[in-house]
Amino acid sequence: DAFNRMVGRVKDMVRTRDQLLMDVSHELRSPLTRLKVALELVTDRDMKARMAADLAEMEVMIGELLELERLRDGRGLNITRQNIVPLLGELARNYEERPPGVRMTPTAPGIVVDIDTERIRTVIRNLLENAVKYSLPDSRPVHVSTAENRQSVLIRVTDDGPGIPEADMPHLFEPFYRVDPSRSKKTGGYGLGLSIAKRIVEAHGGTLIAETNPTRGATFIISLPKAAVVISGR
């Protein structure tokens, strides 16, 4: 009984925290709109540009927090049947000119999943962007691979960067959590990207986990349910 009561309290705490984030996000929309209107009256161009940039950052942050709520329990997804292989290839090619680059392991030409294409594109782009951003001068290319079994499609994004400290691993997907304690803009965003990526994958009925590589770097593993086979009959 005591254990069950504790579990209930923990669930309530998590639910209260998430609701607080959503309520604050909604409430911030109105003052942000008023600030944007007032900003038009500022005559100093440099000051106006700096203020506009800060407001834009706040709008992005609020949008991402509201996205977290929209994705809860799989709501807001536009599911279609897609071949994931061309999508991964397209995203990998976007990093051809950015060292250390992204390399895909040759795979079967067709791996079919039922996904919200744009949302899964956001997940993969987030993982690739982080992998490239945190690469070291001597890092090997980021490696993307796919595999499938009877139930799932697995997508692995492996980097050759500094890796993730063991103490940070349990908190990696928490909203606003940053491995860099300084929270510098130069070393990351707002700490929401991985939270949104995980929520998107979970909304598809899948999982997103991180592992530290044996030598150097980290691997993020996406598991998505395979597309159900539809058997037509008379």
Side-chain angles (χ1 to χ4, degrees):
D1 287 345
F3 180 81
N4 288 337
R5 287 196 298 272
M6 180 189 71
V7 170
R9 288 197 298 270
V10 170
K11 287 183 176 179
D12 288 340
M13 288 170 59
V14 173
R15 188 162 47 246
T16 300
R17 183 200 64 180
D18 291 343
Q19 188 61 50
L20 175 63
L21 287 175
M22 296 309 109
D23 290 345
V24 170
S25 301
H26 279 291
E27 293 301 323
L28 282 174
R29 281 279 172 93
S30 295
L32 272 180
T33 301
R34 293 195 295 270
L35 282 172
K36 289 174 68 176
V37 173
L39 185 60
E40 296 303 315
L41 303 177
V42 176
T43 56
D44 187 313
R45 290 187 178 182
D46 291 339
M47 181 183 294
K48 186 174 183 177
R50 291 194 300 271
M51 292 174 66
D54 288 339
L55 285 173
E57 284 189 19
M58 291 181 68
E59 282 193 310
V60 169
M61 190 186 306
I62 290 170
E64 290 180 344
L65 283 169
L66 295 176
E67 179 75 352
L68 278 173
E69 178 60 21
R70 281 193 291 268
L71 290 166
R72 190 181 300 280
D73 301 324
R75 290 177 287 164
L77 295 181
N78 180 24
I79 300 293
T80 57
R81 185 153 294 187
Q82 299 290 333
N83 181 358
I84 195 73
V85 177
L87 174 62
L88 294 174
E90 171 198 334
L91 290 167
R93 286 191 293 274
N94 291 336
Y95 293 87
E96 289 178 351
E97 304 301 322
R98 291 180 59 184
V102 176
R103 178 170 58 86
M104 275 193 66
T105 296
T107 184
I111 298 179
V112 179
V113 286
D114 292 330
I115 57 172
D116 184 321
T117 306
E118 291 308 311
R119 291 279 177 46
I120 293 298
R121 186 191 302 272
T122 297
V123 173
I124 304 298
R125 187 188 297 119
N126 180 285
L127 298 181
L128 292 177
E129 191 68 29
N130 283 347
V132 170
K133 179 169 60 179
Y134 290 107
S135 291
L136 302 170
D138 63 340
S139 290
R140 292 168 296 182
V142 176
H143 183 211
V144 179
S145 64
T146 57
E148 56 181 329
N149 54 38
R150 289 185 178 182
Q151 293 83 25
S152 305
V153 172
L154 301 178
I155 303 168
R156 287 181 168 87
V157 177
T158 302
D159 66 62
D160 188 37
I164 302 167
E166 185 177 348
D168 293 308
M169 291 292 279
H171 310 287
L172 201 57
F173 297 100
E174 294 178 3
F176 295 111
Y177 189 82
R178 292 274 305 279
V179 174
D180 174 24
S182 71
R183 308 193 70 84
S184 168
K185 291 182 181 180
K186 295 180 180 180
T187 59
Y190 315 111
L192 289 171
L194 288 177
S195 298
I196 292 175
K198 186 176 178 68
R199 184 68 58 84
I200 289 173
V201 173
E202 290 177 343
H204 283 78
T207 59
L208 172 60
I209 63 172
E211 296 179 348
T212 300
N213 298 337
T215 54
R216 192 170 76 168
T219 297
F220 286 82
I221 305 171
I222 302 168
S223 175
L224 293 170
K226 290 186 70 172
V229 177
V230 179
I231 302 175
S232 59
R234 295 183 180 181

